[in-house]
Amino acid sequence: MNRPKTPGPARRLHLLAILLGIMLLVWVSFEDQSVTWVILFAAAICMLAAAWLLAPFPRPPSGKGWLVYPLAGLLGGLATAPLALLLMAIKTGVHGYVVPDYTPAQMGAVLISFPVWAGAGVIIGLGAGLWFKNR
C-alpha cells in the first residue's frame, strides 16, 4: 500500500515561512495602527526562527539535552520586542505619511513588553522541551 509521504520538519518550516511572508505582505498594505498584529507577527517570526534553529534536533538527546528548547525560547522571546519595533518602522516607512502609523507611546509599550516576551519564550520552550523529553 502506497502512503503519501508526510513532509519533514524542514519542509513544513519552509511552508510556514512562505505563508507568514504572504500574511506580512497583506498586513503591510492595510491601514492598521493596532499594536496587536505587530506583536503577533513578531512572535510568529521568532517562534518560526526558534523552530528552525531546533529543526536539526527533532528529539532531545538523553540527559539534559532537552534544555536547549528553553534556551531557544528565550532567544526567540528576547527578539520579539525589537522585531516588533522593526516591523513598526517598516510599515511606517512603506506608507510614508507625514504622521507615523504608530505613536511613540505605542512604541514605548512594545519596548516595555520586552521581559514579558522573554519569559513567555522560556515557558513555551520549557513546555516543548519537557513534551519532547517525555514523549
Side-chain angles (χ1 to χ4, degrees), residues 44-132:
I45 291 169
C46 290
M47 283 191 286
L48 189 64
W52 180 76
L53 285 173
L54 293 172
F57 311 104
R59 284 199 115 176
S62 61
K64 297 196 185 268
W66 63 274
L67 291 174
V68 73
Y69 287 87
L71 181 61
L74 174 65
L75 292 175
L78 288 174
T80 301
L83 184 61
L85 288 174
L86 179 67
L87 289 174
M88 291 169 119
I90 289 171
K91 186 166 182 175
T92 299
V94 166
H95 289 179
Y97 297 132
V98 175
V99 178
D101 287 347
Y102 299 100
T103 64
Q106 288 174 314
M107 292 182 160
V110 168
L111 199 55
I112 288 174
S113 69
F114 190 77
V116 172
W117 290 108
V122 169
I123 290 170
I124 291 170
L126 186 62
L130 289 173
W131 182 74
F132 275 119

Side-chain angles (χ1 to χ4, degrees), residues 1-5:
M1 177 186 217
N2 292 335
R3 293 188 323 194
K5 289 185 177 181

Side-chain angles (χ1 to χ4, degrees), residues 7 9-27 41 44-45 48-49 52:
R11 185 167 178 191
R12 285 185 217 140
L13 289 176
H14 286 249
L15 293 174
L16 283 172
I18 291 170
L19 178 65
L20 185 59
I22 291 169
M23 291 170 60
L24 272 170
L25 287 175
V26 170
W27 168 75
F41 278 123
I45 291 169
L48 189 64
W52 180 76

